[in-house]
Amino acid sequence: MQIPEVIEKWTAPINTVTIGATKDQGGTRAKTVTVGGQTTLPFLTFEGELPHKPVIAGFVADTPPDWPDVLKQAIGKEIESPTEWAQKCVQEYKVDLINLKLIGAAPAGKDASPEACAKVVEEVLKAVDVPLILWGCGDDEKDNLVLPDCSQAAKGENCLLGSAKETNYRTVVAICKSDKHKIIAEAPVDINIGKQVNILLQDAGFDLKDVVMFQTTAALGYGFDYVYTILERARIAGLKGDKLMACPQLCDVGGEVWRIKEAVVDEDVLPGWGKLAKRGPMWEATCASVYLQAGADILIMAHPEAIKNVQATIEQFA
Amino acid sequence: MIFIGERINTGFKDVKAAVTNKDADVLKEWAVKQTKAGATYLDVNLGAVSSKPEDLCWMIEQVQAASDLPISIDTNKPSMLKEAVPLCKKPPLINSTTAVDEKMEVMFPIVAQAGASIIGLVMDEEGSPKSADKRVENAGKLLAKAMEFGINPEQLFLDPIVMPLKYMQEQAREILGAANQFKLFSDPPPHIVCGLSNISNGTTKKKLINRTFAVMLVANGLDAVICDVTDQDLVDALLTAELVMNKQIYADGFIEAFRS
């Protein structure tokens, strides 16, 4: 008896998004990074095309984040300088791109000026030649001032800029169109809002083929399964032909994991949980690897050991 | 939802006159209007105006000059199809065959060769079935035969044959019951389509009846419809029904997104 073919055939591919611009393309990057283009679910190489491997963006900030010592020590003194930190990410950790967060702009923190932030962007662009993901500080009002300057400083570099939400999408569309950047569309762990933000971006005249979706990110133990199912459901909808859901997806694993107690406190507080120096990076690597299964295309990661581990996973499966 | 725009049909007076007088503008206008309204295919029907394949080909060429949408060629005459199919820029939908062996054996090779799709009416030698069971039996015949010719279930659109509510009121339930069973045939299932306006034939509340029945059909697996795509209330109701059936992910702007 002939066994029928049971492989799934999907209707439409996921969009292909390229980040970064070389000299020929009007930028100064040595190479570009392309994600998306899949015609099936992650790692099912027997079922469809998976033309671009998931990539890792090294977490870099203009000012050292409020992280546990195990992470700060693993990165080293370079964490004090965004340019040196970025260089270390590229040269030592071999990340595909740099994720620069301008957390120093936060009004409750250093309250760095838009000009100072733009200068950091310029310096990081000079220090490394990989493509950049750019974020403000997360404070909407301040980001409305910071993002235009930073976008301008990276004009023509085809960065991935974050993030467009229901509240600020018009500003982000305007600056990304004029400075030629791609957009991160953000929703608060809500697939319906995720789709709505994409509808708004499209209505504002921004091509969804230049968009990466970001459903925020949850660390394992903190709503991880919600984000996982959203990523998966969005990916399936995209493959089934929903053009509004056919964007590559981003997860900020490093930014989330190092805030939770399992990755912050050691055995003295959590007896029986094992050494933090091992547990922390393990927590990050586990979250990242599982998000790959859900349909993440870009992972933002922080700990060098976690990065190494996930790079090996990608090599093995993709 | 796959919307097949019904308007370029010589059953409508303006289209009939346009074909008789070779007035391309009328056809082009309807092509543009239905494309803007969100159609997936544009049905082109020469009807009884002429039996010459070149007239059907002329209609298709005018429509393709005004719209990039694929064509639904509304004829069951193989001689017409042989001329019309090669003209289509995108794989067309052929409308239609019945579940009669001799018919399927002529139509399916044309479909398979062109990589087209086809609507299969669940009628056989005895005409239109009265019961859900007979409809399902004929649908099974259509699917089995199509697969013999290498046609995938996704290329087959099963039409349970809609009967006028006013004259055959007992039929609507049989149609809904049949559609519900069609989706169980295979995975992925064949498409389920219908010529919607039949349901309201002879009635005074055509749009309301069309819309109500369309929503009930979606609840029973309908995923394609031959209809007036410029009827916004109908299209909105169908888009909503697809959300209710969890076929699409909800977003506040789901209607606007369809029209943008």
Side-chain angles (χ1 to χ4, degrees):
Chain A
M1 191 189 120
Q2 204 190 345
I3 296 170
E5 218 174 22
V6 291
I7 62 170
E8 198 79 48
K9 251 174 51 194
W10 303 98
T11 325
I14 299 305
N15 298 340
T16 301
V17 176
T18 297
I19 306 158
T22 60
K23 269 190 191 127
D24 297 345
Q25 298 158 339
T28 59
R29 306 298 85 198
K31 59 159 196 167
T32 59
V33 165
T34 301
V35 291
Q38 303 92 326
T39 61
T40 186
L41 294 171
F43 306 134
L44 304 184
T45 46
F46 57 88
E47 202 172 78
E49 304 290 319
L50 297 149
H52 305 289
K53 288 181 183 181
V55 295
I56 297 178
F59 191 116
V60 171
D62 56 343
T63 185
D66 182 17
W67 278 346
D69 288 343
V70 285
L71 178 55
K72 284 186 183 166
Q73 282 156 9
I75 294 167
K77 62 172 175 29
E78 289 85 352
I79 200 166
E80 302 292 333
S81 149
T83 51
E84 285 171 32
W85 189 1
Q87 281 168 338
K88 193 166 192 179
C89 279
V90 174
Q91 288 158 12
E92 285 189 31
Y93 313 158
K94 312 276 182 226
V95 297
D96 304 282
L97 58 179
I98 289 295
N99 178 77
L100 178 60
K101 279 201 188 182
L102 298 154
I103 53 179
K110 279 173 113 182
D111 203 16
S113 69
E115 296 76 23
C117 292
K119 192 150 179 290
V120 174
V121 172
E122 273 172 25
E123 286 167 0
V124 171
L125 279 166
K126 273 188 204 138
V128 295
D129 59 7
V130 298
L132 232 60
I133 304 175
L134 274 180
W135 302 80
C137 62
D139 180 283
D140 280 352
E141 216 170 298
K142 184 68 184 280
D143 283 349
N144 274 341
L145 304 170
V146 169
L147 285 177
D149 280 24
C150 292
S151 163
Q152 176 77 33
K155 189 172 176 141
E157 295 285 5
N158 192 24
C159 298
L160 181 60
L161 197 128
S163 61
K165 299 171 223 166
E166 274 183 303
T167 44
N168 71 340
Y169 71 96
R170 286 185 193 281
T171 316
V172 178
V173 165
I175 60 177
C176 284
K177 267 185 159 181
S178 90
D179 299 333
K180 299 208 168 25
H181 299 307
K182 304 280 157 79
I183 288 182
I184 298 169
E186 179 176 333
V189 198
D190 187 321
I191 196 164
N192 307 120
I193 294 179
K195 188 165 177 173
Q196 181 67 10
V197 173
N198 283 359
I199 291 172
L200 295 171
L201 288 174
Q202 188 171 268
D203 280 354
F206 202 80
D207 192 344
L208 289 185
K209 290 193 169 136
D210 291 332
V211 169
V212 170
M213 293 191 289
F214 176 52
Q215 274 291 345
T216 64
T217 303
L220 184 58
Y222 294 81
F224 185 82
D225 40 339
Y226 292 106
V227 177
Y228 184 101
T229 51
I230 286 177
L231 294 188
E232 188 176 56
R233 192 167 165 223
R235 177 54 43 90
I236 288 171
L239 291 170
K240 277 185 172 172
D242 186 342
K243 290 190 171 63
L244 295 163
M245 293 271 101
C247 305
Q249 306 188 94
L250 169 87
C251 283
D252 183 8
V253 182
E256 279 303 317
V257 165
W258 297 100
R259 299 179 347 165
I260 62 163
K261 74 169 186 291
E262 290 83 348
V264 171
V265 293
D266 217 332
E267 275 183 314
D268 50 344
V269 184
L270 288 176
W273 281 70
K275 287 260 176 261
L276 179 63
K278 191 174 178 190
R279 190 196 329 132
M282 232 161 94
W283 214 276
E284 187 183 358
T286 307
C287 289
S289 297
V290 182
Y291 277 132
L292 289 177
Q293 293 286 350
D297 299 276
I298 305 172
L299 298 168
I300 299 168
M301 296 190 65
H303 197 291
E305 285 306 313
I307 292 174
K308 207 160 124 191
N309 183 298
V310 176
Q311 281 166 336
T313 303
I314 293 171
E315 273 316 304
Q316 195 182 345
F317 290 108
Chain B
M1 185 54 83
I2 297 168
F3 290 98
I4 304 158
E6 69 178 8
R7 197 53 180 70
I8 304 171
N9 184 325
T10 56
F12 294 97
K13 279 182 193 159
D14 59 343
V15 176
K16 184 179 179 182
V19 174
T20 310
N21 307 323
K22 290 281 183 297
D23 175 5
D25 288 349
V26 175
L27 269 60
K28 286 179 177 169
E29 273 167 33
W30 276 113
V32 171
K33 220 183 220 179
Q34 295 183 101
T35 304
K36 280 189 181 157
T40 323
Y41 285 95
L42 296 176
D43 193 73
V44 174
N45 187 331
L46 177 60
V49 168
S50 152
S51 57
K52 289 188 226 156
E54 56 264 38
D55 287 330
L56 178 63
C57 293
W58 176 81
M59 288 178 80
I60 291 172
E61 280 168 348
Q62 306 320 309
V63 172
Q64 290 192 135
S67 169
D68 290 331
L69 292 182
I71 304 293
S72 155
I73 311 174
D74 202 338
T75 176
N76 56 12
K77 295 194 186 85
S79 57
M80 289 267 193
L81 286 173
K82 278 177 187 149
E83 301 281 327
V85 170
L87 272 184
C88 294
K89 292 179 186 165
K90 290 182 177 161
L93 171 64
I94 292 165
N95 182 7
S96 57
T97 182
T98 60
V100 175
D101 277 333
E102 297 78 46
K103 191 86 200 164
M104 292 189 284
E105 278 159 15
V106 185
M107 301 293 270
F108 285 152
I110 301 174
V111 175
Q113 204 199 348
S117 300
I118 187 163
I119 294 178
L121 303 171
V122 297
M123 59 197 285
D124 56 12
E125 292 84 349
E126 293 161 26
S128 294
K130 295 278 182 292
S131 68
D133 286 350
K134 187 67 183 169
R135 283 181 165 90
V136 174
E137 185 187 321
N138 287 342
K141 269 192 213 166
L142 281 157
L143 182 61
K145 195 61 139 185
M147 290 175 86
E148 267 178 42
F149 284 89
I151 296 168
N152 295 323
E154 305 101 285
Q155 290 170 274
L156 180 64
F157 288 62
L158 291 172
D159 183 336
I161 308 184
V162 173
M163 294 297 186
L165 182 74
K166 182 172 175 180
Y167 309 111
M168 306 172 90
Q169 219 172 328
E170 79 293 346
Q171 277 292 304
R173 267 172 65 168
E174 301 296 323
I175 295 159
L176 293 168
N180 194 281
Q181 292 184 60
F182 292 173
K183 21 171 226 208
L184 307 176
F185 276 133
S186 63
D187 181 21
H191 295 287
I192 303 175
V193 68
C194 76
L196 183 63
S197 55
N198 272 359
I199 193 70
S200 61
N201 254 353
T203 65
T204 56
K205 298 272 188 295
K206 285 193 163 68
K207 285 190 169 182
L208 175 63
I209 292 171
N210 287 345
R211 192 159 75 231
T212 306
F213 190 56
V215 167
M216 294 174 80
L217 276 165
V218 171
N220 284 279
L222 188 90
D223 68 343
V225 61
I226 306 167
C227 68
D228 175 6
V229 291
T230 64
D231 179 347
Q232 280 206 11
D233 289 340
L234 170 65
V235 171
D236 290 356
L238 283 163
L239 296 175
T240 310
E242 284 212 304
L243 289 179
V244 173
M245 293 304 288
N246 196 18
K247 294 270 184 72
Q248 297 290 338
I249 294 170
Y250 174 84
D252 288 344
F254 75 98
I255 296 286
E256 293 81 357
F258 180 79
R259 302 233 152 80
S260 70

